[in-house]
Amino acid sequence: KQSHQVVVIGGGSAGIATAASMLRRQSNLDIAIVEPSDFHAYQPGWTMVGGGVFQPEQTRRSTASVLPKGVNWTKARAASFEPEDNLVKLEDGSEIGYDVLIMAPGIRLAWEKIEGLEVTLGKNGVTSNYRYDLAPYTWELVQRMKSGKALFTQPPMPIKCAGAPQKAMYLSCDHWNRSGNLRDIEVEFCNAGGVLFGVQDYVPALMSYVEKYDIALKLGNNLVAVDGDDQIATFATDEGEVTRDFDMMHVVPPQVAPQFVADSPLAADSGFVDVDQHTLQHVRYPNVFGLGDGCSAPNAKTAAAARKQAPVVAVNALRQLDGKGPTAGYDGYGSCPLTVERGKIVLAEFGYGGKLAPSFPIWLIDGIKPQRLSWMLKADVLPWIYWNGMLKGREWLAGPGGLIAQ
Ligand code: FAD
């Protein structure tokens, strides 16, 4: 049986950033990362792929190239946990022991919860920016569409990057507007939730784009089934089921805790890793920490949140290795750059309770207004900071006191 001081489950944004941050603080640490995938994705870039701004290849790198030097990569899937015995079991039946366990498994996209969806994804005009291989199809459809009906859906919370369903819609509308086709395209936003965006301060700016693009808002409409061949979508509403036909539909899938986490003793009732929302320490097992989309903290699930959480977990986990209690705290920061048109962004940044948490002075970037500088951040600066700051544990670029949202 192998055993390590630190075992990280998941080599996504949160797992890599935490391992890098810990190694910056203590270079001789023995860390293993359990990650099955050959590729690491910069998922915030998929919105830009769907909008024809980025090429897909810009948004991912090999896992081997983003792993911090010196970590042990266990290329496997974690299957179950025995936290009383400090044990992780892998899918092949082997076991790994740990002193400290860091859970960063992400959230699971539950495509199968929408009847008929999986078989029609990538054809019949049905697409999603939530998958690397499908985001280019969004841009293909948008360019091809000259008239007809376009639906954009949003499932119930929680989802990662709650603004992404709208970002896809605004960038599509902007293209149709510029090409002169928008007047011939009927656009509907079918959102299972009851509001356009969870933090009210940003709603007026977003509403001005809903009006500009003449989008029909269908709140409380939850996509439950797709008939791809006939291009008909079925939604559950308070008044019963409603069907709509479409020529193009951008779907955001329902999202749930990964099953292997939900089935484990580490889970909260929600299925996510049960952590204290400030220290990110597990509420029952002090040598377990959780962060990123897969933890129970009630922040907006974003890479920007993971960027702020990683150093908090790094500090508290190192103290735990020394037999001491946590000292670092996370304030719930999350960020969502809403691409309202090509060249302008409403930069939502907020902490727990929807409290606004701007990274910049208001004279430079006023988050509640659509701004060009925010677009430059998203298109040029943030990807660079992600690869070279956050994933490298360089917190002067990416961490607490670091300047910038993701
Ligand atoms: P992930 O990065 O998803 O990583 C989870 C990792 O766990 C994966 O590598 C996976 O392979 C691994 N894993 C899964 N199962 C197992 C297992 N059994 N054993 C071991 N490992 C496992 N965030 C922003 O900040 N700004 C944005 O503008 C933004 N836009 C987005 C747009 C889209 C379309 C999408 C999809 C996401 C967007 N996000 C954005 C959200 C952001 O990408 C996530 O919040 C972030 O990646 C979370 O990091 P994570 O490490 O928790 O999860």
Side-chain angles (χ1 to χ4, degrees):
K1 179 189 102 182
Q2 51 166 322
S3 197
H4 301 273
Q5 271 179 302
V6 180
V7 171
V8 180
I9 304 299
S13 309
I16 300 277
T18 306
S21 179
M22 291 184 85
L23 285 166
R24 289 252 169 213
R25 291 178 158 79
Q26 194 178 316
S27 59
N28 62 352
L29 273 182
D30 163 26
I31 303 184
I33 297 187
V34 180
E35 167 59 59
S37 174
D38 283 320
F39 290 99
H40 176 104
Y42 176 61
Q43 300 168 41
W46 294 351
T47 294
M48 303 295 259
V49 174
V53 185
F54 287 178
Q55 291 304 312
E57 302 74 35
Q58 284 171 269
T59 66
R60 71 174 197 180
R61 295 189 182 174
S62 70
T63 298
S65 73
V66 298
L67 287 169
K69 263 206 199 77
V71 305
N72 172 304
W73 179 15
T74 303
K75 191 172 177 316
R77 286 184 169 279
S80 62
F81 302 90
E82 290 173 16
E84 308 285 354
D85 297 324
N86 299 331
L87 268 188
V88 177
K89 285 200 169 157
L90 305 181
E91 271 187 359
D92 67 3
S94 59
E95 296 179 342
I96 313 183
Y98 59 81
D99 296 330
V100 159
L101 176 67
I102 293 172
M103 294 291 293
I107 196 165
R108 187 173 81 77
L109 302 177
W111 304 98
E112 78 287 353
K113 283 185 185 279
I114 298 172
E115 196 191 318
L117 176 60
E118 277 171 301
V119 292
T120 194
L121 274 173
K123 53 186 186 194
N124 300 321
V126 183
T127 189
S128 180
N129 288 348
Y130 274 68
R131 245 172 53 183
Y132 175 81
D133 59 327
L134 292 174
Y137 185 51
T138 304
W139 179 230
E140 218 180 288
L141 291 172
V142 168
Q143 286 175 290
R144 209 188 296 156
M145 188 148 176
K146 307 287 182 230
S147 64
K149 191 158 173 182
L151 304 180
F152 292 83
T153 75
Q154 177 171 323
M157 291 292 146
I159 62 170
K160 53 180 159 185
C161 197
Q166 284 174 69
K167 298 182 200 180
M169 176 171 69
Y170 299 136
L171 286 181
S172 304
C173 288
D174 180 60
H175 178 80
W176 295 325
N177 196 24
R178 286 167 200 256
S179 61
N181 296 316
L182 186 59
R183 73 178 83 91
D184 299 317
I185 299 174
E186 204 183 322
V187 182
E188 289 189 7
F189 186 47
C190 305
N191 180 353
V195 290
L196 187 57
F197 193 74
V199 182
Q200 174 56 35
D201 300 68
Y202 300 104
V203 171
L206 300 175
M207 272 312 291
S208 72
Y209 280 89
V210 166
E211 282 156 21
K212 174 178 171 183
Y213 299 135
D214 199 17
I215 296 166
L217 275 190
K218 305 288 179 188
L219 301 178
N221 278 240
N222 186 21
L223 180 68
V224 291
V226 186
D227 173 348
D229 291 332
D230 291 331
Q231 295 190 303
I232 295 173
T234 306
F235 296 84
T237 74
D238 282 348
E239 285 83 46
E241 287 197 344
V242 173
T243 58
R244 296 189 173 87
D245 55 355
F246 62 85
D247 297 287
M248 168 190 167
M249 179 161 69
H250 178 272
V251 179
V252 175
Q255 298 170 37
V256 295
Q259 199 60 43
F260 75 103
V261 176
D263 289 342
S264 80
L266 302 178
D269 289 344
S270 61
F272 293 102
V273 181
D274 202 355
V275 295
D276 176 273
Q277 67 178 47
H278 296 293
T279 64
L280 303 175
Q281 187 174 40
H282 198 278
V283 297
R284 293 182 294 282
Y285 306 103
N287 65 336
V288 178
F289 295 82
L291 77 164
D293 297 347
C295 83
S296 65
N299 57 278
K301 294 186 184 296
T302 57
R307 177 174 57 78
K308 292 282 190 175
Q309 293 170 339
V312 171
V313 170
V315 167
N316 291 342
L318 285 171
R319 282 184 62 87
Q320 177 66 31
L321 284 172
D322 281 346
K324 297 179 191 148
T327 50
Y330 164 62
D331 61 4
Y333 176 88
S335 154
C336 194
L338 290 138
T339 50
V340 285
E341 63 178 275
R342 197 188 262 243
K344 278 195 186 168
I345 273 180
V346 171
L347 183 62
E349 293 182 280
F350 48 91
Y352 285 137
K355 188 168 175 288
L356 300 199
S359 296
F360 300 93
I362 202 162
W363 55 263
L364 189 59
I365 289 183
D366 184 356
I368 65 170
K369 296 199 183 121
Q371 294 201 322
R372 289 198 186 281
L373 196 56
S374 314
W375 176 271
M376 283 158 66
L377 263 185
K378 168 93 185 155
D380 302 317
V381 182
L382 293 177
W384 188 87
I385 285 181
Y386 180 80
W387 300 112
N388 302 297
M390 176 171 167
L391 295 194
K392 302 285 186 208
R394 292 192 182 115
E395 280 143 27
W396 55 274
L397 262 179
L403 267 180
I404 289 177
Q406 203 53 245

